[in-house]
Coordinates of all heavy atoms in Angstrom, one line a residue:
M165 N 0.8 -1.2 0.0 CA 0.0 0.0 0.0 C 0.9 1.2 0.0 O 1.7 1.4 0.9 CB -0.9 0.0 1.2 CG -1.8 1.2 1.4 SD -2.8 1.3 2.8 CE -4.2 0.3 2.3
P166 N 0.7 2.1 -1.0 CA 1.5 3.3 -1.1 C 1.2 4.2 0.1 O 0.1 4.3 0.6 CB 1.1 4.0 -2.4 CG 0.4 2.9 -3.2 CD -0.1 2.0 -2.2
S167 N 2.3 4.9 0.6 CA 2.1 5.8 1.7 C 3.2 6.9 1.6 O 4.2 6.8 0.9 CB 2.2 5.1 3.1 OG 3.5 4.6 3.3
K168 N 2.9 8.0 2.3 CA 3.8 9.1 2.3 C 3.7 9.9 3.7 O 2.6 10.2 4.1 CB 3.5 10.1 1.2 CG 4.4 11.2 1.0 CD 4.0 12.0 -0.3 CE 5.1 13.0 -0.6 NZ 4.8 13.7 -1.9
S169 N 4.8 10.2 4.3 CA 4.9 11.0 5.5 C 4.9 12.4 5.1 O 5.8 12.8 4.3 CB 6.0 10.6 6.4 OG 5.9 9.3 6.9
V170 N 4.0 13.2 5.7 CA 4.0 14.7 5.4 C 3.8 15.5 6.7 O 3.3 15.0 7.7 CB 2.9 15.0 4.4 CG1 3.2 14.4 3.0 CG2 1.6 14.6 4.8
V171 N 4.3 16.7 6.6 CA 4.1 17.7 7.7 C 2.9 18.5 7.5 O 2.7 19.1 6.4 CB 5.4 18.5 7.9 CG1 5.2 19.6 9.0 CG2 6.6 17.7 8.1
V172 N 2.1 18.6 8.5 CA 0.9 19.5 8.4 C 1.2 20.9 8.3 O 2.0 21.5 9.1 CB 0.0 19.3 9.7 CG1 -1.2 20.2 9.7 CG2 -0.4 17.8 9.9
G173 N 0.7 21.5 7.2 CA 1.1 22.9 6.9 C 0.1 24.0 7.3 O 0.5 25.1 7.4
S174 N -1.1 23.6 7.6 CA -2.1 24.6 8.0 C -1.8 25.2 9.4 O -1.5 24.4 10.3 CB -3.5 24.0 8.0 OG -4.0 23.8 6.7
A175 N -1.9 26.5 9.5 CA -1.5 27.1 10.7 C -2.3 26.6 11.9 O -1.8 26.6 13.0 CB -1.7 28.7 10.6
V176 N -3.6 26.2 11.7 CA -4.4 25.7 12.8 C -4.4 24.2 12.9 O -5.2 23.6 13.6 CB -5.9 26.3 12.7 CG1 -5.9 27.8 12.8 CG2 -6.5 25.8 11.4
G177 N -3.6 23.6 12.1 CA -3.6 22.1 12.0 C -4.7 21.6 11.2 O -5.3 22.3 10.4
L178 N -5.0 20.3 11.4 CA -6.1 19.7 10.6 C -7.5 19.9 11.3 O -8.1 19.0 11.9 CB -5.9 18.2 10.4 CG -4.6 18.0 9.5 CD1 -4.5 16.5 9.3 CD2 -4.7 18.7 8.2
H179 N -7.9 21.2 11.4 CA -9.1 21.6 12.1 C -10.2 21.7 11.0 O -10.1 21.2 9.9 CB -8.9 23.0 12.8 CG -9.8 23.2 13.9 ND1 -11.2 23.2 13.8 CD2 -9.6 23.4 15.2 CE1 -11.7 23.4 15.0 NE2 -10.8 23.6 15.9
A180 N -11.3 22.3 11.3 CA -12.5 22.3 10.5 C -12.3 22.6 9.0 O -12.7 21.8 8.2 CB -13.6 23.2 11.1
R181 N -11.8 23.8 8.7 CA -11.7 24.2 7.3 C -10.7 23.3 6.6 O -11.1 22.8 5.5 CB -11.3 25.7 7.2 CG -11.1 26.2 5.8 CD -10.8 27.7 5.8 NE -10.2 28.1 4.5 CZ -11.0 28.5 3.5 NH1 -12.3 28.4 3.6 NH2 -10.4 28.8 2.4
P182 N -9.5 23.1 7.0 CA -8.6 22.2 6.3 C -9.1 20.8 6.2 O -9.0 20.2 5.1 CB -7.3 22.3 7.1 CG -7.4 23.5 7.9 CD -8.8 23.7 8.2
A183 N -9.7 20.3 7.2 CA -10.3 18.9 7.2 C -11.4 18.8 6.2 O -11.5 17.8 5.4 CB -10.8 18.5 8.6
A184 N -12.2 19.9 6.1 CA -13.3 19.8 5.1 C -12.8 19.9 3.7 O -13.3 19.1 2.8 CB -14.3 21.0 5.3
I185 N -11.8 20.6 3.4 CA -11.2 20.7 2.1 C -10.6 19.4 1.7 O -10.8 18.9 0.6 CB -10.2 21.9 2.0 CG1 -10.9 23.2 2.1 CG2 -9.4 21.8 0.7 CD1 -9.9 24.4 2.4
I186 N -9.8 18.8 2.6 CA -9.2 17.5 2.4 C -10.2 16.4 2.1 O -10.1 15.6 1.2 CB -8.2 17.1 3.5 CG1 -7.0 18.1 3.5 CG2 -7.8 15.7 3.4 CD1 -6.2 18.1 4.8
A187 N -11.2 16.4 3.0 CA -12.3 15.4 2.9 C -13.1 15.5 1.6 O -13.4 14.5 0.9 CB -13.2 15.5 4.1
E188 N -13.3 16.7 1.2 CA -14.1 16.9 -0.1 C -13.2 16.3 -1.3 O -13.8 15.7 -2.1 CB -14.3 18.4 -0.3 CG -15.1 18.7 -1.6 CD -15.4 20.2 -1.7 OE1 -15.6 20.9 -0.7 OE2 -15.6 20.6 -2.9
K189 N -11.9 16.6 -1.3 CA -11.1 16.1 -2.4 C -11.0 14.6 -2.3 O -11.0 13.9 -3.3 CB -9.7 16.8 -2.3 CG -8.8 16.4 -3.4 CD -9.4 16.9 -4.8 CE -8.5 16.6 -5.9 NZ -9.1 17.0 -7.2
A190 N -10.8 14.1 -1.1 CA -10.6 12.6 -0.9 C -11.9 11.9 -1.4 O -11.8 10.8 -2.0 CB -10.3 12.3 0.5
A191 N -13.1 12.5 -1.2 CA -14.3 11.8 -1.6 C -14.4 11.8 -3.1 O -15.1 10.9 -3.7 CB -15.5 12.6 -1.0
E192 N -13.7 12.7 -3.8 CA -13.8 12.7 -5.3 C -12.9 11.7 -5.9 O -13.0 11.4 -7.1 CB -13.3 14.1 -5.8 CG -14.3 15.2 -5.4 CD -13.7 16.6 -5.8 OE1 -12.6 16.7 -6.4 OE2 -14.3 17.6 -5.5
L193 N -11.9 11.2 -5.2 CA -10.9 10.3 -5.7 C -11.5 8.9 -5.9 O -12.5 8.5 -5.3 CB -9.7 10.2 -4.8 CG -9.0 11.5 -4.5 CD1 -7.9 11.3 -3.5 CD2 -8.4 12.1 -5.8
G194 N -10.8 8.1 -6.7 CA -11.3 6.8 -7.1 C -10.9 5.7 -6.1 O -11.2 4.5 -6.4
S195 N -10.1 6.0 -5.1 CA -9.6 5.0 -4.2 C -9.7 5.5 -2.7 O -10.0 6.6 -2.5 CB -8.2 4.6 -4.5 OG -7.3 5.7 -4.2
D196 N -9.6 4.5 -1.8 CA -9.6 4.9 -0.4 C -8.3 5.4 0.0 O -7.2 4.9 -0.3 CB -9.9 3.6 0.4 CG -11.3 3.1 0.2 OD1 -12.2 3.9 -0.1 OD2 -11.5 1.9 0.4
V197 N -8.3 6.6 0.8 CA -7.1 7.2 1.3 C -7.3 7.4 2.8 O -8.4 7.8 3.2 CB -6.8 8.5 0.6 CG1 -5.6 9.2 1.1 CG2 -6.6 8.3 -0.9
T198 N -6.3 7.2 3.6 CA -6.3 7.4 5.0 C -5.2 8.4 5.4 O -4.2 8.5 4.8 CB -6.2 6.1 5.8 OG1 -4.9 5.5 5.5 CG2 -7.2 5.1 5.4
I199 N -5.5 9.0 6.5 CA -4.5 9.9 7.2 C -4.3 9.3 8.6 O -5.3 9.3 9.4 CB -4.9 11.3 7.3 CG1 -5.2 11.9 5.8 CG2 -3.9 12.2 8.0 CD1 -5.8 13.3 5.8
N200 N -3.2 8.8 8.9 CA -2.9 8.2 10.2 C -4.0 7.1 10.5 O -4.5 7.0 11.6 CB -2.9 9.2 11.4 CG -1.5 9.9 11.4 OD1 -0.7 9.7 10.6 ND2 -1.3 10.7 12.4
G201 N -4.4 6.4 9.5 CA -5.4 5.3 9.6 C -6.8 5.6 9.6 O -7.7 4.8 9.7
V202 N -7.2 6.9 9.6 CA -8.6 7.3 9.5 C -9.0 7.7 8.1 O -8.2 8.2 7.3 CB -8.9 8.5 10.5 CG1 -8.6 8.1 11.9 CG2 -8.3 9.8 10.1
D203 N -10.2 7.5 7.8 CA -10.8 7.8 6.5 C -10.6 9.3 6.1 O -11.1 10.2 6.8 CB -12.3 7.4 6.4 CG -12.9 7.6 5.1 OD1 -12.2 8.0 4.1 OD2 -14.1 7.4 5.0
A204 N -9.8 9.6 5.0 CA -9.6 10.9 4.6 C -10.8 11.6 4.0 O -10.8 12.8 3.8 CB -8.4 11.0 3.7
S205 N -11.8 10.9 3.7 CA -13.0 11.5 3.1 C -14.0 11.9 4.2 O -15.1 12.4 3.9 CB -13.7 10.5 2.1 OG -14.2 9.4 2.7
S206 N -13.6 11.8 5.4 CA -14.5 12.2 6.6 C -13.8 13.3 7.3 O -12.8 13.1 8.0 CB -14.7 11.0 7.5 OG -15.3 11.5 8.7
S207 N -14.3 14.5 7.2 CA -13.7 15.7 7.9 C -13.8 15.5 9.4 O -12.8 15.8 10.1 CB -14.4 17.0 7.6 OG -15.8 17.0 7.8
L208 N -14.8 14.9 9.9 CA -14.9 14.6 11.4 C -13.8 13.7 11.8 O -13.1 13.9 12.9 CB -16.2 14.0 11.7 CG -16.5 13.7 13.2 CD1 -16.4 15.0 14.0 CD2 -17.9 13.1 13.4
M209 N -13.5 12.6 11.1 CA -12.4 11.7 11.4 C -11.1 12.3 11.4 O -10.2 12.1 12.2 CB -12.5 10.4 10.5 CG -13.7 9.6 10.7 SD -13.9 9.0 12.4 CE -12.5 7.9 12.6
I210 N -10.9 13.2 10.4 CA -9.6 13.9 10.3 C -9.4 14.8 11.5 O -8.3 14.9 12.1 CB -9.6 14.8 9.0 CG1 -9.6 13.8 7.7 CG2 -8.4 15.7 9.0 CD1 -9.7 14.6 6.4
M211 N -10.5 15.5 11.9 CA -10.4 16.4 13.1 C -10.1 15.6 14.4 O -9.4 16.2 15.3 CB -11.6 17.3 13.2 CG -11.7 18.3 12.2 SD -13.1 19.5 12.5 CE -14.5 18.4 12.2
T212 N -10.5 14.4 14.5 CA -10.3 13.6 15.7 C -8.8 13.3 15.9 O -8.4 13.0 17.0 CB -11.1 12.3 15.7 OG1 -10.6 11.4 14.7 CG2 -12.6 12.5 15.6
L213 N -8.0 13.4 14.8 CA -6.6 13.2 14.9 C -5.9 14.2 15.8 O -4.8 13.9 16.4 CB -5.9 13.2 13.5 CG -6.3 12.1 12.6 CD1 -5.7 12.3 11.2 CD2 -5.9 10.7 13.1
G214 N -6.4 15.4 15.8 CA -5.8 16.5 16.6 C -4.4 16.9 16.1 O -3.6 17.4 16.8
A215 N -4.2 16.7 14.8 CA -2.9 17.0 14.2 C -2.7 18.5 14.1 O -3.6 19.2 13.6 CB -2.8 16.4 12.8
A216 N -1.6 19.0 14.7 CA -1.3 20.4 14.7 C -0.3 20.8 13.7 O 0.3 19.9 13.1 CB -0.8 20.8 16.1
N217 N -0.2 22.1 13.4 CA 0.8 22.6 12.5 C 2.2 22.0 12.9 O 2.6 22.1 14.0 CB 0.8 24.1 12.5 CG 1.9 24.7 11.6 OD1 3.0 25.0 12.1 ND2 1.6 24.9 10.3
G218 N 2.9 21.5 11.9 CA 4.2 21.0 12.1 C 4.2 19.5 12.5 O 5.3 18.9 12.5
D219 N 3.1 18.9 12.8 CA 3.0 17.5 13.1 C 3.2 16.7 11.8 O 2.8 17.1 10.7 CB 1.7 17.1 13.7 CG 1.5 17.5 15.1 OD1 2.5 18.1 15.7 OD2 0.4 17.4 15.7
T220 N 3.8 15.5 12.0 CA 4.0 14.6 10.8 C 2.9 13.6 10.8 O 2.6 13.0 11.9 CB 5.3 13.9 10.9 OG1 6.4 14.9 10.9 CG2 5.5 12.9 9.7
V221 N 2.2 13.4 9.7 CA 1.1 12.4 9.6 C 1.5 11.5 8.4 O 2.3 11.8 7.5 CB -0.3 13.0 9.4 CG1 -0.7 13.8 10.6 CG2 -0.3 13.9 8.1
E222 N 0.9 10.3 8.4 CA 1.1 9.3 7.3 C -0.2 9.2 6.5 O -1.3 8.9 6.9 CB 1.4 7.9 8.0 CG 1.8 6.9 7.0 CD 3.2 7.0 6.5 OE1 4.0 7.7 7.2 OE2 3.6 6.4 5.5
V223 N 0.0 9.6 5.2 CA -1.1 9.4 4.2 C -0.9 8.1 3.5 O 0.2 7.9 2.9 CB -1.1 10.6 3.2 CG1 -2.2 10.5 2.2 CG2 -1.2 12.0 4.0
A224 N -1.9 7.3 3.4 CA -1.8 6.0 2.7 C -3.0 5.7 1.9 O -4.1 6.3 2.2 CB -1.6 4.9 3.8
G225 N -2.9 4.8 0.9 CA -4.0 4.5 0.1 C -3.7 3.4 -0.9 O -2.6 2.9 -0.9
D226 N -4.7 3.2 -1.8 CA -4.5 2.1 -2.8 C -3.8 2.6 -4.0 O -3.2 1.8 -4.7 CB -5.9 1.6 -3.2 CG -6.7 1.0 -2.0 OD1 -6.0 0.4 -1.2 OD2 -7.9 1.2 -2.0
D227 N -3.8 3.9 -4.3 CA -3.3 4.5 -5.5 C -2.3 5.6 -5.1 O -2.6 6.5 -4.4 CB -4.4 5.1 -6.3 CG -3.9 5.7 -7.6 OD1 -3.6 5.0 -8.5 OD2 -3.8 7.0 -7.6
Q228 N -1.0 5.5 -5.7 CA 0.0 6.5 -5.3 C -0.4 7.9 -5.7 O -0.1 8.8 -5.0 CB 1.3 6.1 -6.0 CG 2.5 7.0 -5.6 CD 2.9 6.8 -4.1 OE1 3.1 5.7 -3.7 NE2 2.9 7.9 -3.4
G229 N -1.0 8.1 -6.9 CA -1.4 9.4 -7.3 C -2.4 10.0 -6.3 O -2.3 11.2 -6.0
D230 N -3.4 9.2 -5.8 CA -4.4 9.7 -4.9 C -3.7 10.1 -3.5 O -4.0 11.1 -2.9 CB -5.5 8.7 -4.6 CG -6.4 8.6 -5.9 OD1 -6.3 9.4 -6.8 OD2 -7.1 7.6 -5.9
V231 N -2.7 9.2 -3.1 CA -2.0 9.5 -1.9 C -1.2 10.8 -2.0 O -1.2 11.7 -1.1 CB -1.0 8.4 -1.6 CG1 0.0 8.8 -0.5 CG2 -1.8 7.1 -1.2
D232 N -0.6 11.0 -3.2 CA 0.2 12.3 -3.4 C -0.7 13.5 -3.4 O -0.4 14.6 -2.9 CB 0.9 12.2 -4.7 CG 2.1 11.2 -4.7 OD1 2.5 10.8 -3.6 OD2 2.5 10.8 -5.8
T233 N -1.9 13.4 -4.0 CA -2.9 14.5 -4.0 C -3.3 14.9 -2.6 O -3.3 16.1 -2.3 CB -4.2 14.0 -4.8 OG1 -3.8 13.7 -6.2 CG2 -5.2 15.1 -4.8
I234 N -3.6 13.9 -1.8 CA -4.1 14.3 -0.4 C -2.9 14.8 0.4 O -3.0 15.7 1.2 CB -4.8 13.1 0.3 CG1 -6.0 12.7 -0.5 CG2 -5.1 13.4 1.7 CD1 -7.0 13.8 -0.7
A235 N -1.7 14.1 0.2 CA -0.5 14.6 0.9 C -0.2 16.0 0.6 O 0.2 16.8 1.5 CB 0.7 13.7 0.6
A236 N -0.3 16.4 -0.7 CA -0.1 17.8 -1.1 C -1.0 18.8 -0.3 O -0.6 19.9 0.1 CB -0.2 17.9 -2.6
L237 N -2.3 18.4 -0.2 CA -3.2 19.2 0.5 C -2.9 19.4 2.0 O -2.9 20.5 2.6 CB -4.6 18.7 0.4 CG -5.3 18.9 -0.9 CD1 -6.7 18.2 -1.0 CD2 -5.5 20.4 -1.3
V238 N -2.4 18.3 2.6 CA -2.1 18.3 4.0 C -0.9 19.2 4.3 O -0.8 19.9 5.3 CB -1.7 16.8 4.5 CG1 -1.1 16.9 5.9 CG2 -3.0 16.0 4.5
E239 N 0.0 19.3 3.3 CA 1.2 20.1 3.4 C 0.9 21.6 3.3 O 1.7 22.4 3.7 CB 2.3 19.7 2.4 CG 2.9 18.3 2.7 CD 3.8 17.9 1.6 OE1 3.5 18.0 0.4 OE2 4.9 17.4 2.0
Q240 N -0.2 22.0 2.6 CA -0.5 23.4 2.4 C -1.1 24.0 3.6 O -1.7 23.4 4.4 CB -1.5 23.5 1.2 CG -1.0 23.1 -0.1 CD -2.0 23.1 -1.2 OE1 -2.9 24.0 -1.1 NE2 -1.9 22.3 -2.2
D241 N -1.0 25.4 3.6 CA -1.7 26.1 4.6 C -3.1 26.4 4.1 O -3.3 27.4 3.4 CB -1.0 27.4 5.0 CG -1.7 28.2 6.1 OD1 -2.7 27.7 6.6 OD2 -1.1 29.2 6.6
L242 N -4.1 25.6 4.4 CA -5.4 25.7 3.8 C -6.3 26.7 4.5 O -7.4 26.9 4.1 CB -6.1 24.3 3.8 CG -5.4 23.2 3.0 CD1 -6.1 21.9 3.2 CD2 -5.4 23.6 1.6
D243 N -5.8 27.4 5.5 CA -6.5 28.5 6.2 C -6.1 29.8 5.6 O -6.7 30.8 6.1 CB -6.2 28.4 7.7 CG -7.2 27.5 8.4 OD1 -8.3 27.4 7.9 OD2 -6.9 27.0 9.4
A244 N -5.1 29.8 4.8 CA -4.6 31.1 4.2 C -5.6 31.8 3.3 O -6.4 31.1 2.7 CB -3.3 30.9 3.5

């Protein structure tokens, strides 16, 4: 299973807005993607991680392209 370790880039961490953006994109993808083992298409599950700015998380999934797409979002400051 492809995976990638990334650093959370959003200033507020994976809170409501960044989690919603990531979940929306993950729901559009053709494969299952997880962040630290939770479903990346669920903003609520992403928020339960409590990942703060600068924390390292593991993005994994069935398709490397989909993993890279979600990993890139996690690395961005989505609150900017």
Side-chain angles (χ1 to χ4, degrees):
M165 176 182 277
S167 66
K168 185 174 187 177
S169 291
V170 293
V171 175
V172 175
S174 287
V176 296
L178 297 182
H179 205 302
R181 180 178 163 85
I185 293 169
I186 292 166
E188 182 177 331
K189 185 62 176 178
E192 296 172 2
L193 302 174
S195 67
D196 293 330
V197 179
T198 62
I199 301 172
N200 282 5
V202 303
D203 183 4
S205 66
S206 169
S207 58
L208 182 59
M209 293 304 294
I210 294 171
M211 288 188 292
T212 65
L213 294 172
N217 176 267
D219 287 353
T220 301
V221 297
E222 188 77 17
V223 180
D226 301 324
D227 179 79
Q228 185 66 55
D230 291 347
V231 168
D232 291 341
T233 297
I234 298 304
L237 285 175
V238 171
E239 291 176 315
Q240 293 178 30
D241 185 358
L242 298 174
D243 271 333

